[in-house]
Amino acid sequence: MRTLPLLLLLVASPLVAQTAEPSIVPRPVSVTTGHGTFVLEPATVIWADSASAELAAQLADYIEPATGYRFRVEVGGIPLAGIRLRRDPGLERLGEEGYSLQATRDGIEIRSAGAAGTFYGIQTLRQLLPPEILRDARVEGVEWTVPAVRIEDRPRFGWRGAHLDVVRHFMPLDFVKKYIDLLALHKLNSFHWHLTDDQGWRIEIRKYPRLTEVGAWRKETMIPPFQSDPALRKYDGVRHGGFYTQEDVREIVEYARKQFVNVVPEIEMPGHASAAIAAYPRLGVGSEPSEVATYWGVFSNIFNASDSTIAFLQDVLTEVMELFPSRFIHVGGDEADKAWWKESPRIQARIRELGLKDEHELQSWFIRQMDKFLAERGRRLIGWDEILEGGLAPGATVMSWRGFTGGLAAARAGHDVVMSPTQWSYFDYYQSADRANEPHSIGGFLPIDTVYAFNPVPAALEPQYRHHILGAQFNLWTEYIATTRHAEYMAYPRGAAMAEVVWTPVERKDFADFKRRLAVHLQRLDALSVNYREPRE
Ligand code: ACM
């Protein structure tokens, strides 16, 4: 008579004795742990349907360096034990980017309705394996196990981004690739490449070679700390610069595409234009000679609004569109100082000629020319929230950086919005109150728990407008970030917290649990030689 309850206990035990949830970052929507492990062996086979063949090869590439195992990929066969990738229209409820992953002692199956979903299932699988799986050469003495688990997952937002300023300090191509690798590991899908500004022009434009011949180089750089009084500024006397050729850009775009990362280029206008104006003075307003800026801040240099300048910038956008398949093209629009527009008789005449009221309306007119140009070519304009001033262009999407205000106004007017408010998203800010023990930074204070607490949908936004919040991103401005190691220090682990902000449903977010998973996740970043900031305090 004792056998029956014992049997029941055995059957029920998987539900009672749950093992700890695996340390996946960002945390999936649903995770059910099981018993036992699947062990990778040299002879493990990846079974893929034809839609998943390329991703199966990519999975084999991920596994090979650390394990030394080159998995055979079988496409279209009847699957036996091993790893199975399968496109499943029945999973449409999880969207293009969602997936289901089931691991048992006998095998692993990743199913998804879209290719991106399979890719994210593979990212999760990488995180289910020991962190050493991310190493680039064979690691001895590790048993390559995957815990039995059932996961269903999908992202909260479609725009999950990270920005990188390569103007204030030029970042080499290999680093840009590593940056993209890290986005993909964190299931981020948008790389905002800040390519032009006062201190440099970093993308080759074939029609206008001086943009890089002249605009990509500054004669020296201000030494921190910032001095508003020019007389007190000190300079390093070292020429700085660099740019990406069109071949470089194509390489980055393709590299990112394979990791389901869209590259959004940013070409700044009408302000943050000193480097372009130094290259082609006819684009400017001021009579003073312009040089590529050597210090930081907001500059008076601004594009004029003549037909030929608009045509010049549209030529630039034409080459940009040839290079970047992104639906969204970023035209900046922030911090355009209007003083020279106010003072210039030529600009004032232009305002009257166009029947506009003031300089804000002129900026709005300027952005509209770009909006129309991009829209006619099947693209969408995105700009910083200043593009609201003087009236928002009809097709524009707003990137809200000065808090939520611009984003709220844009969403309520029926425009799409990407949130990147300074107080949660500016990763150039200090991560600790103990500034003396941190590298010099632009200022601010943004510790990881504050990033984690960010909700890109403001509570004040009425439900009928919430679908306009496409998502969020962190921004990494590099005025005070001169090296790639320093850039990594600022980006991680706060980037892991941002990944959870944009991927994980609010009800699954839990900072204590995040910290537990982060302890393991940092071993992954170690394996990838990421110079993250060690959490302390
Ligand atoms: C910005 O930080 N100026 C967009």
Side-chain angles (χ1 to χ4, degrees), residues 119-134:
F119 180 77
Y120 292 128
I122 289 171
Q123 297 312 312
T124 293
L125 175 54
R126 293 172 84 200
Q127 294 199 10
L128 288 168
L129 283 156
E132 294 85 352
I133 194 69
L134 299 174

Side-chain angles (χ1 to χ4, degrees), residues 121-327:
I122 289 171
Q123 297 312 312
T124 293
L125 175 54
R126 293 172 84 200
Q127 294 199 10
L128 288 168
L129 283 156
E132 294 85 352
I133 194 69
L134 299 174
R135 292 220 164 255
D136 249 344
R138 188 148 170 187
V139 186
E140 302 294 343
V142 177
E143 201 190 17
W144 303 106
T145 59
V146 176
V149 70
R150 194 167 64 236
I151 294 173
E152 277 216 356
D153 206 6
R154 65 176 304 172
R156 179 174 173 207
F157 293 106
W159 187 300
R160 304 181 301 278
H163 150 289
L164 181 65
D165 170 8
V166 295
V167 173
R168 275 51 177 267
H169 285 97
F170 179 69
M171 299 287 165
L173 207 63
D174 280 352
F175 177 71
V176 177
K177 289 182 182 171
K178 186 177 179 189
Y179 203 75
I180 290 166
D181 290 342
L182 289 171
L183 300 196
L185 178 72
H186 292 88
K187 301 188 174 87
L188 299 174
N189 67 352
S190 181
F191 171 51
H192 174 167
W193 207 1
H194 185 77
L195 287 163
T196 75
D197 214 305
D198 297 297
Q199 297 82 5
W201 183 284
R202 306 256 176 262
I203 176 172
E204 178 193 17
I205 300 297
R206 297 217 165 128
K207 189 160 182 185
Y208 302 115
R210 284 177 60 84
L211 284 172
T212 42
E213 285 167 9
V214 174
W217 308 95
R218 61 177 180 257
K219 67 173 188 283
E220 58 188 353
T221 301
M222 191 201 74
I223 297 168
F226 182 79
Q227 304 286 353
S228 45
D229 178 356
L232 295 177
R233 286 185 201 134
K234 291 198 173 66
Y235 293 89
D236 63 7
V238 180
R239 188 170 185 254
H240 179 90
F243 66 93
Y244 308 99
T245 65
Q246 296 207 346
E247 283 75 22
D248 292 339
V249 170
R250 283 186 210 281
E251 199 171 306
I252 290 296
V253 168
E254 176 59 10
Y255 189 85
R257 186 194 64 80
K258 288 189 185 137
Q259 302 193 72
F260 292 81
V261 171
N262 178 50
V263 186
V264 179
E266 181 183 354
I267 306 295
E268 277 269 21
M269 61 188 83
H272 285 292
S274 303
I277 295 168
Y280 293 96
R282 66 181 162 89
L283 302 173
V285 173
S287 47
E288 297 165 39
S290 169
E291 62 168 14
V292 180
T294 54
Y295 61 98
W296 324 123
V298 173
F299 291 77
S300 306
N301 253 316
I302 186 164
F303 289 127
N304 63 47
S306 67
D307 289 337
S308 67
T309 293
I310 297 292
F312 180 103
L313 291 169
Q314 291 176 341
D315 287 344
V316 168
L317 292 181
T318 296
E319 291 195 30
V320 164
M321 282 187 284
E322 281 164 11
L323 293 167
F324 294 91
S326 173
R327 253 174 91 220

Side-chain angles (χ1 to χ4, degrees), residues 415-435:
H415 290 257
D416 287 339
V417 172
V418 175
M419 287 295 187
S420 62
T422 53
Q423 56 270 57
W424 292 289
S425 318
Y426 269 45
F427 283 16
D428 52 344
Y429 287 6
Y430 282 102
Q431 348 194 17
S432 163
D434 178 17
R435 289 190 177 194

Side-chain angles (χ1 to χ4, degrees), residues 491-503:
Y492 293 96
R494 289 184 295 188
M498 186 60 84
E500 204 142 312
V501 164
V502 289
W503 182 280

